[in-house]
Amino acid sequence: MKDIFTAPFVKEMRKTTANMYRLGWDERNGGNISCLLDEAEAGEYLDLNKVIRTIPLGFDAAPIAGRMFIVTGAGKYFKNVDADPETNLGIVRIASDGKSAGLLWGYRDGGNLTSEFPTHLMSHMARLSADPANRVIMHCHPTCTLAMSHVHELDEKTFTHTLWEMCTECIMVFPDGIGVLPWMLCGTNSIGEATAEKMKDFRLVVWGMHGIYGAGKTMDETFGLIETVEKAAQIYMLTAHLPRINTINDGQLAELAEFLGVKYRRDFLNL
C-alpha cells in the first residue's frame, strides 16, 4: 500500500490550507474544506475496510451514502495542516444509512469533523445534482468580502452586479453570479439547508457578516472562484467612498460574456 502522505488529495489539502491561511482567509480555526474522493484512488493508500471509529452526522446524508471525503477537523488551525495532516485532517466514508461517517484515517488526537460538515454535505448533494463532476466545498472568511457584506445591500443581483463591475474577469469567472444569505447561526442544519438551496443555482454563496462558501470540480477551481470574488471586493472597498468616474457598464459586461461564450445571469444586468 502506498504512503498516504504522498497521496495527491492529502498534498492538495496541505497546499491549499497553507495558502488560505497565508492570505488571511482562515484565521485561527476559521474555515473548512471537504473534497469528495475517488474510492479506487483512496484504496491505493488506505485499507477501506478498517474503520477507526464512527462519527454521528446529525442529519440524513443517505443520498451520498458510501461516498468518501477528506475534510478539515473541528477546532483545527489551517496553519497547522501542512506540518501535521494526520491530526488536522480526516478521511471518512458516509454510512449506508446516511446517519454517520466511518473514520478511515486522521484526527489522530481524537478530533472530530468540522462542525460545518453537515453544511458541506448538504452543499455537496446540491452541487452534485447540478453538476455530477463537483468535488470540492470550501468555506473561508476573506477579509474584503466580509467587509463588503457590512456596507453593501445583501441582495444577489446587486451584490453580483457590483462585483462584476470591479474587474473585467469577474463575469468570466463567475457568470452564474453569487448567492447571498443574511447573517445566520453557523454550525446548524438551518444554515446548511439555506446554503444548499442556494447551491442549486450558484457555485458561490456569501454568508453575510461571516464569509463565503465556494464549490467546484477541483481545489484550484474553487480556490480561484473565491480568490476572484475577494479581489473584486477589495477593489470595491478601496473605491466605494470615492466618486465613480469610470466603470464597466452593463452593455460592455454583456458584450464580454457573449464574446467569451459564457452562460451568464442576464437578469443580473440592467439592459
Side-chain angles (χ1 to χ4, degrees):
M1 193 166 288
K2 298 179 183 177
D3 180 0
I4 192 164
F5 295 103
T6 68
F9 47 86
V10 173
K11 288 182 174 180
E12 198 172 43
M13 288 287 274
R14 293 169 74 172
K15 175 184 173 183
T16 303
T17 50
N19 252 339
M20 292 171 75
Y21 180 79
R22 176 181 58 82
L23 289 166
W25 296 358
D26 295 275
E27 71 292 335
R28 199 172 182 269
N29 62 318
N32 24 77
I33 305 174
S34 63
C35 180
L36 179 61
L37 300 181
D38 176 78
E39 185 167 343
E41 182 183 26
E44 296 178 19
Y45 301 90
L46 289 171
D47 179 353
L48 302 184
N49 296 311
K50 184 180 178 181
V51 176
I52 299 169
R53 55 190 163 94
T54 299
I55 303 172
L57 291 178
F59 90 109
D60 185 2
I64 49 173
R67 307 301 290 269
M68 294 175 57
F69 297 87
I70 184 167
V71 56
T72 50
K76 303 304 182 186
Y77 294 17
F78 273 26
K79 70 182 179 69
N80 296 332
V81 173
D82 188 43
D84 188 2
E86 193 171 5
T87 297
N88 295 284
L89 302 174
I91 295 175
V92 297
R93 176 190 273 145
I94 308 303
S96 58
D97 64 358
K99 302 289 178 61
S100 62
L103 179 65
L104 303 176
W105 175 85
Y107 305 147
R108 182 173 54 183
D109 62 351
N112 207 339
L113 296 156
T114 171
S115 62
E116 290 180 0
F117 192 50
T119 296
H120 278 243
L121 292 181
M122 292 177 198
S123 290
H124 274 291
M125 289 189 284
R127 287 310 305 163
L128 286 167
S129 66
D131 181 358
N134 191 86
R135 289 178 57 242
V136 178
I137 298 294
M138 186 179 291
H139 170 57
C140 57
H141 308 153
T143 306
C144 295
T145 305
L146 179 55
M148 183 175 169
S149 75
H150 283 266
V151 299
H152 193 287
E153 56 191 304
L154 295 178
D155 169 79
E156 287 161 359
K157 176 178 177 178
T158 56
F159 204 92
T160 298
H161 190 277
T162 295
L163 292 174
W164 280 353
E165 289 180 314
M166 295 300 106
C167 307
T168 298
E169 68 173 347
C170 286
I171 199 168
M172 301 157 50
V173 175
F174 50 95
D176 43 343
I178 296 175
V180 178
L181 289 173
W183 186 91
M184 297 179 68
L185 183 63
C186 58
T188 65
N189 286 354
S190 294
I191 197 169
E193 290 161 2
T195 305
E197 188 62 30
K198 296 291 184 186
M199 282 280 182
K200 293 176 182 177
D201 299 311
F202 303 102
R203 292 172 298 155
L204 292 157
V205 180
V206 166
W207 284 4
M209 290 68 72
H210 183 143
I212 193 168
Y213 258 71
K217 299 178 181 68
T218 67
M219 202 74 77
D220 269 352
E221 178 192 16
T222 314
F223 184 94
L225 283 169
I226 295 172
E227 184 178 36
T228 306
V229 170
E230 175 64 359
K231 178 63 173 286
Q234 181 182 22
I235 295 169
Y236 173 78
M237 293 305 296
L238 287 169
T239 60
H241 61 294
L242 300 171
R244 181 78 67 85
I245 298 173
N246 303 302
T247 195
I248 310 169
N249 65 45
D250 286 31
Q252 291 167 331
L253 287 168
E255 180 184 16
L256 175 62
E258 287 162 16
F259 175 76
L260 294 167
V262 296
K263 186 179 179 182
Y264 67 103
R265 289 291 301 261
R266 189 176 174 86
D267 59 319
F268 279 14
L269 296 179
N270 301 309
L271 298 171

